[in-house]
Amino acid sequence: MRRKPVRPVLVVIAHGSRDPRHAATVHALVERVRSLRPGLRVETGFLDFNIPSVHGVLESLAAEGVQDVVALPLLLTRAFHAKADIPAVLRDAPPRLRIRQADVLGPSPLLLSALEQRLHEAGLGPADKSSTGVVLASAGSSDPEAIAVIADIARQWRGTGWRAVRPAFASASLPRTEDAVRELRELGCARVAVAPYVLAPGFLPDRIARGAAEADVLAEVLGPAPEVARVLLQRYDAARLPALAAVGA
C-alpha cells in the first residue's frame, strides 16, 4: 500500500521588530493557522530582531530529519524582502531540506474582507459606506510593483460601495496617511476612515496611526484575523501541491 506523503512543514517567515507587539501578533496569527489546520506543523522564523531566526529554524528542522518545507513570507506585497532577503536566507538552508517558497499574502479577496471587518469593529456599518472615504494605509515600498498593487487594491475596494478609497504609505512613497485624509475631506466625504493594510503593530503602523489623527475612524491592524490565517493556508497549499503531484500523491 502506498504510503501517504508527509505534509511539508510550514515555516512562516516574519520580518521581526524591536516592538514586542510585533512578535506577539505574529505568534497569535500562527496559533490561529494551527487551529484551522490541526496536524499541520507550523514554525515561525524572523529575519531580524526576534528569535528564532529563519536560519535557526531551518537548521533545527534539518537536524530532526525533516525533508520538505514550505517557506511562507509573512508579507502583503512582493517587494525587496520577498524578492531578495528571503531567497538569500533560503539559499543558505541545510542542503538536505527541499524548500518551496510560497507567494506573499496579497492581494487576496480574503484580505479585503479582513479590512472590512476591522472597519466594522471600529464602528462603521454597511449604511456608512456610501458616505465614507477610506484611506488604505500600507507600510510603503520603493518597489514599483508593490506600489502598483496597493493602488489596484484601493481601486477594487472602491468598487464595493465606499464613497472613495485612497492609498497611502508610511514610508518610501507618497502620499502619507494625513495627506490622504485631507484629500478625502476636500472631496466632501462625510467621514474618513483609515484602514491599516499591515499585519502587525510596530514603527510604521504607529506612523500610520499618527497620520490618522484627523480621521474619524482608525481601524486595527490585520493581525491574527481569521481571513489572514486562511490566506496563509491557501498560499501553503498552492506551494505544496505541485510537489505532491510530482510524486503521484
Side-chain angles (χ1 to χ4, degrees), residues 40-53:
L40 172 63
R41 182 172 178 181
V42 188
E43 301 291 343
T44 307
F46 295 90
L47 290 173
D48 206 354
F49 302 117
N50 303 106
I51 55 174
S53 68

Side-chain angles (χ1 to χ4, degrees), residues 4-94:
K4 185 176 181 180
V6 177
R7 284 187 290 187
V9 174
L10 170 57
V11 176
V12 176
I13 300 178
H15 184 275
S17 171
R18 292 186 179 89
D19 189 323
R21 297 173 299 167
H22 175 89
T25 302
V26 169
H27 290 310
L29 175 58
V30 168
E31 283 302 317
R32 189 178 287 276
V33 172
R34 292 187 180 118
S35 72
L36 292 176
R37 186 74 59 88
L40 172 63
R41 182 172 178 181
V42 188
E43 301 291 343
T44 307
F46 295 90
L47 290 173
D48 206 354
F49 302 117
N50 303 106
I51 55 174
S53 68
V54 177
H55 182 74
V57 169
L58 296 176
E59 289 278 359
S60 296
L61 291 174
E64 290 179 30
V66 171
Q67 293 183 327
D68 293 297
V69 169
V70 170
L72 194 155
L74 196 60
L75 301 167
L76 294 173
T77 59
R78 267 183 50 80
F80 181 78
H81 293 304
K83 294 177 179 179
D85 282 353
I86 291 175
V89 171
L90 298 181
R91 283 194 296 269
D92 288 337

Side-chain angles (χ1 to χ4, degrees), residues 75-189:
L75 301 167
L76 294 173
T77 59
R78 267 183 50 80
F80 181 78
H81 293 304
K83 294 177 179 179
D85 282 353
I86 291 175
V89 171
L90 298 181
R91 283 194 296 269
D92 288 337
R96 68 165 293 143
L97 292 176
R98 293 190 293 263
I99 302 177
R100 299 179 67 87
Q101 182 176 331
D103 288 337
V104 298
L105 303 185
S108 168
L110 283 171
L111 295 178
L112 275 182
S113 296
L115 288 166
E116 291 268 355
Q117 179 61 27
R118 288 295 188 241
L119 287 175
H120 175 72
E121 293 165 358
L124 293 177
D128 299 315
K129 295 185 75 168
S130 62
S131 59
T132 301
V134 178
V135 177
L136 178 68
S138 75
S141 173
S142 58
D143 189 305
E145 178 186 350
I147 298 304
V149 166
I150 298 300
D152 188 56
I153 292 170
R155 284 191 293 269
Q156 291 182 35
W157 204 12
R158 165 67 181 84
T160 66
W162 295 101
R163 171 74 172 79
V165 179
R166 295 289 187 271
F169 307 95
S171 68
S173 308
L174 296 174
R176 294 287 184 258
T177 301
E178 53 268 34
D179 298 325
V181 168
R182 295 187 188 106
E183 180 186 350
L184 290 171
R185 289 277 188 225
E186 293 170 0
L187 188 64
C189 296

